[in-house]
């Protein structure tokens, strides 16, 4: 769906508080309503294009995600640069699991909140991944965009990532951007780990969310988006990742040539107007792909 259309549908009205200073965007679609408060968002930098939303998740949402994940954690994997297959690696030592998209009302509500904040449709998002880092565990600097062709097939490149912190971390566990243009501007005090001092860093705080883009607006990959999760030094870290693609990440239902069906209510009208001949690839299909209006175009095999 066109993101601008999505925005129109999902952001139903803008609510202005009585003193007129704060505003929030109230969502009225979907299973639960969520308020977006743009005054809690700060832009971190243009390179990488990164934003921090303080208190994006409520404590209840954070605790719920941890409850859903805690008995289902497995060693985290990374995508092999050549084959794109998931492999174990010392680059990433956390454990994690994937929720299902819209698996319950709370998960669906957060997915809608992410779509409203990023202006990117829910259907472009992967299922949320919940991550757990214990003492010493880390994710070394990497890009979220892919290097292999196989992973680009569904949804194309990952355009953006929303990282949500589900817990505070006593020391370490920062998200670090080693190539950030503003790294030199950040005060590197004792509250940051040595790893975090290697770039611009965001300290995990329960409920906060970090949004950054892995692609430039012209769709080329952004080297400034290199980022990692520093080793946890004290305490533990829980986070949730939502990777968002340039196109829908939902697999189209497979249409078989043996199914004699129309998949659009307009098929009959289009066929009457001659679209089967004018637009055969869509209406009838090709050698490899079945078309959408096979019944109305009278091309079913039996
Ligand atoms: O959990 C994190 O802080 C983190 C850092 C970098 C997660 C990811 N990348 C990721 O899931 O891509
Ligand atoms: Zn990442």
């Amino acid at each position: 769906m066109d993101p601008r259309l999505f925005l129109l549908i999902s952001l139903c009205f803008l609510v202005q508080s009585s003193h007129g200073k704060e505003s929030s965007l109230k969502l009225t679609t979907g299973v639960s309503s969520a308020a977006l408060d743009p005054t809690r968002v700060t832009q971190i930098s243009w390179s990488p294009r990164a934003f921090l939303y303080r208190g994006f998740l409520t404590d209840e949402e954070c605790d719920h995600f941890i409850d859903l994940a805690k008995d289902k954690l497995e060693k985290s994997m990374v995508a092999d640069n050549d084959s794109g297959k998931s492999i174990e690696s010392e680059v990433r030592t956390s454990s994690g699991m994937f929720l299902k998209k819209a698996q319950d009302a709370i998960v669906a509500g957060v997915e809608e909140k992410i779509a409203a904040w990023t202006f990117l449709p829910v259907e472009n998002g992967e299922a949320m991944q919940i991550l757990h880092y214990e003492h010493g565990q880390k994710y070394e600097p990497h890009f979220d965009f892919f290097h292999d062709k196989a992973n680009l097939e569904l949804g194309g490149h990952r355009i953006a990532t929303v990282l949500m912190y589900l817990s505070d971390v006593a020391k370490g566990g920062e998200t670090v951007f080693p190539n950030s243009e503003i790294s030199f501007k950040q005060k590197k005090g004792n509250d940051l780990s040595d790893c975090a001092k290697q770039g611009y860093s965001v300290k995990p705080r329960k409920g906060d969310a970090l949004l950054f883009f892995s692609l430039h607006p012209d769709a080329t990959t952004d080297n400034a988006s290199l980022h990692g999760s520093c080793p946890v030094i004290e305490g533990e870290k829980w986070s949730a990742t939502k990777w968002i693609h340039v196109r829908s990440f939902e697999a189209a239902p497979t249409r078989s040539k043996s199914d004699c069906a129309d998949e659009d209510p307009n098929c009959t009208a289009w066929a009457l107007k001659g679209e089967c001949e004018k637009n055969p690839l869509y209406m009838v299909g090709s050698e490899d792909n079945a078309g959408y209006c096979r019944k109305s175009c009278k091309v079913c095999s039996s």
Side-chain angles (χ1 to χ4, degrees):
M1 190 194 287
D2 183 325
R4 287 161 302 178
L5 178 62
F6 179 81
L7 180 66
L8 275 177
I9 296 167
S10 60
L11 304 183
C12 292
F13 49 89
L14 186 72
V15 184
Q16 198 90 52
S17 72
S18 52
H19 45 284
K21 275 192 185 143
E22 289 172 11
S23 65
S24 67
L25 297 168
K26 192 149 194 288
L27 306 186
T28 55
T29 57
V31 280
S32 72
S33 70
L36 269 192
D37 180 356
T39 65
R40 294 205 218 154
V41 181
T42 50
Q43 175 156 17
I44 293 175
S45 61
W46 278 117
S47 181
R49 212 146 32 105
F51 306 82
L52 184 66
Y53 192 133
R54 296 279 185 206
F56 181 72
L57 298 181
T58 62
D59 279 359
E60 293 69 34
E61 286 166 336
C62 294
D63 298 343
H64 181 65
F65 286 172
I66 295 174
D67 274 348
L68 291 176
K70 63 178 184 243
D71 298 328
K72 304 195 174 92
L73 298 171
E74 287 178 10
K75 170 137 189 20
S76 298
M77 310 286 260
V78 296
D80 181 71
N81 277 350
D82 300 320
S83 67
K85 292 210 174 102
S86 283
I87 50 166
E88 281 194 18
S89 162
E90 274 315 294
V91 161
R92 190 180 197 192
T93 54
S94 55
S95 54
M97 57 81 73
F98 282 93
L99 299 177
K100 288 198 171 59
K101 275 179 101 172
Q103 103 167 44
D104 63 28
I106 297 178
V107 174
V110 170
E111 285 170 339
E112 285 174 14
K113 203 157 45 161
I114 291 172
W117 181 29
T118 60
F119 296 169
L120 296 167
V122 169
E123 67 190 61
N124 290 26
E126 291 183 40
M128 247 183 295
Q129 186 172 33
I130 309 298
L131 295 166
H132 184 224
Y133 299 81
E134 292 178 341
H135 180 259
Q137 293 184 338
K138 52 153 193 206
Y139 192 176
E140 288 197 355
H142 60 277
F143 297 108
D144 282 355
F145 57 76
F146 291 113
H147 303 273
D148 65 285
K149 274 198 173 151
N151 271 309
L152 293 180
E153 259 167 44
L154 184 61
H157 261 311
R158 286 176 179 157
I159 183 174
T161 301
V162 177
L163 267 180
M164 291 156 279
Y165 303 108
L166 308 180
S167 69
D168 294 323
V169 184
K171 185 124 205 239
E174 303 92 341
T175 304
V176 60
F177 291 93
N179 294 345
S180 167
E181 65 172 358
I182 57 154
S183 172
F184 71 95
K185 284 191 188 160
Q186 188 173 34
K187 230 180 106 206
K188 304 291 192 310
N190 283 340
D191 55 327
L192 291 182
S193 66
D194 287 345
C195 157
K197 292 176 184 162
Q198 305 306 310
Y200 185 89
S201 294
V202 177
K203 246 181 115 52
R205 208 165 89 174
K206 184 172 181 177
D208 289 357
L210 172 65
L211 161 66
F212 62 90
F213 288 81
S214 295
L215 301 186
H216 292 295
D218 67 358
T220 56
T221 53
D222 183 359
N223 285 336
S225 69
L226 186 75
H227 64 286
S229 179
C230 289
V232 169
I233 295 172
E234 224 181 289
E236 60 177 343
K237 172 179 173 182
W238 285 92
S239 63
T241 304
K242 170 66 86 178
W243 288 305
I244 308 171
H245 291 250
V246 293
R247 295 195 300 276
S248 172
F249 195 70
E250 282 159 19
T254 46
R255 293 182 314 284
S256 143
K257 285 190 178 175
S258 56
D259 297 340
C260 191
D262 285 341
E263 285 170 50
D264 192 294
N266 294 310
C267 281
T268 312
W270 288 337
L272 284 172
K273 286 185 181 160
E275 288 295 325
C276 302
E277 295 75 31
K278 286 190 232 162
N279 194 3
L281 209 56
Y282 177 85
M283 299 287 286
V284 176
S286 65
E287 196 57 24
D288 300 325
N289 292 305
Y292 289 81
C293 298
R294 292 171 49 74
K295 188 167 176 221
S296 290
C297 291
K298 302 191 174 60
V299 292
C300 302
S301 30
S302 56

